Amino acid sequence: MIVRPKTKPLRLHQLEALLNRIPDNHSKRKFIEEDYAKQTAGYKGERSLEYHLSYLPEKDYYIFHDLRLYAGKHYFQIDILILTPFFLSILEVKNISGSLYFNPIFTQMVRTIEDKEEGFPDPVKQV
């Protein structure tokens, strides 16, 4: 059973509104479009899991999307939490194309696409 459904992130709504209002020749438009593309890819990645999660028996699984929890001094976010009587599973969802390499020395993820490398924060460390 989906207890907390996936909703479109506020950040995505904000970027859409900004792109509808900012002139095409604005100096920051390219950066806003790149951020929008990344946010959209992440949202689509999490939405794509809904199909696979729909195969879980509703009476045995509780599914929570986008949890923000407090841990003493700080808040943290969980993309998807699956809770059963026997275990809980935390899913950190990424929707990144290309070849991925998890670099344990620099604790980062490196994507290679079209002979270009780009570093990302380590999702294992994020979890």
Side-chain angles (χ1 to χ4, degrees):
M1 165 184 5
I2 296 178
V3 178
R4 182 177 164 89
K6 177 70 186 154
T7 58
K8 194 172 194 179
L10 175 62
R11 178 80 177 144
L12 205 47
H13 285 290
Q14 292 170 333
L15 289 169
E16 286 172 350
L18 185 57
L19 285 171
N20 287 333
R21 290 166 176 78
I22 195 168
D24 289 340
N25 61 349
H26 193 281
S27 63
K28 300 290 184 185
R29 184 168 182 98
K30 179 184 172 197
F31 301 108
I32 297 166
E33 288 173 342
E34 289 172 359
D35 191 19
Y36 177 74
K38 288 179 185 177
Q39 295 291 327
T40 301
Y43 176 62
K44 286 181 179 179
E46 290 183 33
R47 290 291 309 264
S48 71
L49 281 181
E50 288 179 2
Y51 169 77
H52 303 286
L53 294 174
S54 72
Y55 283 97
L56 298 174
E58 281 198 21
K59 64 181 181 62
D60 298 330
Y61 294 84
Y62 293 100
I63 301 169
F64 301 84
H65 291 269
D66 296 323
L67 288 179
R68 185 172 185 257
L69 303 173
Y70 185 67
K73 293 183 177 182
H74 305 282
Y75 287 90
F76 65 97
Q77 185 266 345
I78 296 175
D79 288 346
I80 300 172
L81 174 68
I82 301 174
L83 186 62
T84 78
F86 308 103
F87 70 89
L88 66 88
S89 181
I90 297 171
L91 304 181
E92 178 61 34
V93 181
K94 300 296 178 200
N95 189 14
I96 301 173
S97 59
S99 297
L100 303 178
Y101 169 70
F102 295 87
N103 187 323
I105 296 168
F106 295 107
T107 61
Q108 70 175 358
M109 179 177 64
V110 179
R111 169 180 63 180
T112 305
I113 187 167
E114 298 177 5
D115 295 326
K116 293 168 77 176
E117 287 189 350
E118 182 179 4
F120 292 86
D122 185 353
V124 175
K125 190 174 181 180
Q126 185 179 355
V127 171

